[in-house]
Amino acid sequence: MLLRETVRQSAGPGTLILLLSCASAGAGLALPAALGRSLDLVLAGRQSEAGPWITLCVVLTVLAVLIGAYESAVTATATARSAAWIRRRVLGHVLDAGTQQACSEGELVARLTGNAVQAATVPVSIAGTLAAVVTPVGGLVALALTDWWTALVVLAGMPLFALLLKVFVRGSGASSAGYLHTQGEIAGRLLEAVRGARTIAAAGHPERDAERILAPLPELSRQGHRMWEVLGRSTAQAAILLPLLQLAVLAVAGLRVAHGDLSVGGLLAAWRYAALATGTGALVGMVNTLTRGRTATARLQDVLTAPTVTYGSSELPSAEGELTLRGVVHGPLRGVDLTVPGGSVVAVVGRSGSGKSALAAVAGRLADPESGTVALDGVPLPSLARAELRRAVGYAFARPVLLGGTVGGTIAYGAEEPGEAAVRAAARAACADDFIRTMPDGYATPCASAPLSGGEAQRLGLARAFAHPRRLLILDDATSSLDSATELKVSRALLHGAGTHLIIALRASTAARADLVVWLEEGRVRAVAPHQQLCRLADYRAVFGEVDTSC
């Protein structure tokens, strides 16, 4: 459980904060007794004896200030480190889970940013809450030792305060959960709008989409007001109850002084201890922070429920990259049996929804099939070690994400560093070298400063795949944005490359240059044959449209 893991990894700083808080509370608890003793000695005219007690009061005050300052520094550092740990923990799980996420992307971003910060306060809040209990409990014990009649007054009001605290925790938790949920919903809609900015602009109704994004704002406002109402109500109730208790203690202590059962210094100490025993503002604040932190942690825990990919420890034999699928069911795929010969170039064609992308996903284990097996050179993919699998299988996508910081870094991005010469050779093979060299800083151009067309981005994705030779290379619609001349050059590079190539093809020309074509229809393999042989079938030609110059 994430909450337990977070507390465990911050056990050291949390223990230190607890000790510092207890030391500060100890100094605060010792101060009233020292002040009362000093006052009694001064009133008795024994100034020489009062000197050390006054010095002790000064020392306790300075000590409390210094401990408080150090505690604040440790708390800030521990919270920052805990937030970083939580983000690494959750982000690592997100990357392991791949596309199987428990929430939308925008919601995920909100949880990894704001919720992680709130969850990071849990360890220090637990330590702070435990330490915050020391002051009122210690104050009550010290009050009982000073005068047990005044302690009885405080004890009489404690059940009512406990009830107020219980109501506060319940209301605060519910409102915090609602607030964070609505906040995540807005973040999700905002991310969708940023990604679809061009579509929104083209539609000509940005105001309508702004209204859609901000539609949950009233609910966010309602939950926010509810949070403040709960806190305000609890604060107001405590502001009435606690001063009344302190006044009652002062009244009883005054009567005790009048009867000669308590000294003036004892009255001062009793009043201060009553203030400490009923001064639960720090405790309420800690409980509030802890409640919000636990709510945020629960939202992050939901992310960790997404299943992750597990790997084996097997290695691949020396072979050319034969891919086999037996009885594979995944998404639109229905019982696919297929053998892709090692070292061949195989095109996968079919109408939209026939299962081409699903086949590409299971072929390189970006997804595990619902049933059936996928093997590379006779070794089932789930039994392979992660590093072995990713060294053997490479991908290029229709809409590649430009990772790596710079254009050159995007091409080099991967488990191994290919070197500058290999990066440039891969760029030339993907027909990307020419436009890269026209950029202001060439291969060192930051990706954020390199506005690229869809075809240029695809060429960078292809270059990245070429820069990391693999036993099996899967191109999931990775040439769809290339013009025909560029697509021809890239196809020739693929034909002369080593290993097995599985290409999701939308063009007849791409299928024509492949050794074999896998024709998918309604999630099943209808035929596996060379393109020219399949071109005799009208249904096959219809996959590419009525006009087909390659058949």
Side-chain angles (χ1 to χ4, degrees):
M1 188 176 181
L2 182 61
L3 180 62
R4 190 180 301 112
E5 293 177 15
T6 304
V7 173
R8 186 183 301 118
Q9 70 87 29
S10 297
T15 302
L16 179 58
I17 291 170
L18 178 60
L19 293 175
L20 290 172
S21 299
C22 289
S24 178
L29 289 170
L31 185 57
L35 284 171
R37 181 61 177 165
S38 301
L39 180 59
D40 284 341
L41 291 172
V42 169
L43 292 176
R46 298 158 60 185
Q47 281 79 5
S48 58
E49 296 180 35
W53 287 98
I54 295 174
T55 302
L56 177 60
C57 292
V58 173
V59 170
L60 290 173
T61 302
V62 172
L63 186 62
V65 171
L66 293 177
I67 292 175
Y70 184 52
E71 179 189 348
S72 297
V74 174
T75 298
T77 303
T79 301
R81 290 178 177 175
S82 184
W85 180 87
I86 289 172
R87 284 173 175 149
R88 285 194 298 269
R89 170 75 173 84
V90 178
L91 182 58
H93 186 92
V94 167
L95 296 177
D96 285 340
T99 58
Q100 303 180 72
Q101 300 302 331
C103 57
S104 67
E105 293 179 358
E107 177 89 3
L108 188 59
V109 171
R111 296 187 188 193
L112 280 170
T113 51
N115 291 176
V117 173
Q118 291 175 317
T121 63
V122 169
V124 296
S125 296
I126 291 175
T129 301
L130 293 174
V133 173
V134 172
T135 297
V137 171
L140 183 60
V141 172
L143 182 60
L145 293 174
T146 302
D147 184 75
W148 64 275
W149 281 102
T150 54
L152 287 177
V153 175
V154 175
L155 281 174
M158 282 301 170
L160 184 56
F161 173 74
L163 178 61
L164 294 178
L165 187 61
K166 180 180 179 180
V167 173
F168 167 73
V169 170
R170 184 183 302 164
S172 178
S175 58
S176 294
Y179 187 87
L180 293 176
H181 173 76
T182 308
Q183 197 176 48
E185 185 178 353
I186 293 175
R189 296 185 182 193
L190 179 60
L191 182 61
E192 291 175 358
V194 170
R195 287 185 168 180
R198 291 194 300 176
T199 302
I200 294 172
H205 291 286
E207 302 85 2
R208 184 172 59 192
D209 211 70
E211 292 177 2
R212 183 186 68 84
I213 296 169
L214 301 178
L217 269 183
E219 176 63 16
L220 186 71
S221 175
R222 190 181 73 83
Q223 295 291 351
H225 279 87
R226 185 182 174 191
M227 289 169 58
W228 285 110
E229 286 172 5
V230 171
L231 182 60
R233 189 186 312 116
S234 299
T235 302
Q237 291 167 343
I240 295 173
L241 173 64
L242 300 182
L244 287 177
L245 283 175
Q246 294 174 19
L247 287 175
V249 167
L250 192 60
V252 171
L255 291 174
R256 299 281 289 165
V257 170
H259 285 84
D261 297 324
L262 190 66
S263 67
V264 175
L267 182 146
L268 174 62
W271 177 67
R272 289 300 305 149
Y273 282 131
L276 291 175
T278 57
T280 52
L283 178 59
V284 171
M286 284 295 178
V287 169
N288 184 38
T289 302
L290 181 59
T291 302
R292 291 172 60 84
R294 289 185 61 186
T295 302
T297 305
R299 287 170 58 77
L300 290 166
Q301 181 66 43
D302 288 343
V303 178
L304 297 179
T305 59
T308 58
V309 179
T310 57
Y311 297 88
S313 57
S314 300
E315 296 183 357
L316 289 168
S318 298
E320 293 186 343
E322 181 183 80
L323 177 68
T324 57
L325 290 82
R326 294 291 178 265
V328 170
V329 175
H330 183 72
L333 298 178
R334 292 290 176 265
V336 170
D337 292 313
L338 176 65
T339 298
V340 176
S344 63
V345 177
V346 176
V348 180
V349 305
R351 296 182 182 276
S352 178
S354 61
K356 300 187 296 298
S357 292
L359 177 60
V362 299
R365 212 188 172 207
L366 290 184
D368 285 326
E370 299 159 27
S371 63
T373 61
V374 182
L376 183 61
D377 288 322
V379 182
L381 296 188
S383 68
L384 291 172
R386 182 202 293 264
E388 182 75 0
L389 175 63
R390 293 307 159 205
R391 280 195 299 266
V393 181
Y395 272 92
F397 302 101
R399 291 178 292 278
V401 178
L402 304 183
L403 304 171
T406 64
V407 172
T410 291
I411 298 174
Y413 184 81
E416 309 92 11
E417 177 58 50
E420 184 177 350
V423 166
R424 292 178 180 272
R428 288 192 293 271
C431 301
D433 181 66
D434 289 342
F435 76 79
I436 292 174
R437 286 191 285 107
T438 63
M439 294 180 178
D441 297 313
Y443 285 83
T445 303
C447 292
S449 304
L452 302 171
S453 66
E456 289 171 336
Q458 277 196 345
R459 279 183 272 174
L460 288 183
L462 288 165
R464 180 166 59 199
F466 292 160
H468 302 85
R470 297 289 189 258
R471 185 178 303 207
L472 172 63
L473 177 60
I474 302 170
L475 275 64
D476 187 1
D477 197 15
T479 60
S480 57
S481 295
L482 304 184
D483 60 79
S484 298
T486 302
E487 195 262 347
L488 175 60
K489 294 178 182 178
V490 171
S491 296
R492 287 173 177 170
L494 287 172
L495 290 172
H496 290 90
T500 305
H501 298 86
L502 188 67
I503 305 171
I504 305 303
L506 300 182
R507 297 175 180 174
S509 58
T510 304
R513 286 187 286 271
D515 300 321
L516 287 172
V517 173
V518 176
W519 178 13
L520 292 178
E521 188 173 78
E522 297 182 354
R524 300 182 183 277
V525 177
R526 177 166 173 177
V528 178
H531 174 73
Q532 294 301 328
Q533 180 179 332
L534 293 175
C535 273
R536 301 168 188 168
L537 304 174
D539 288 350
Y540 178 78
R541 295 195 301 272
V543 171
F544 304 103
E546 296 181 0
V547 179
D548 184 0
T549 60
S550 67
C551 292

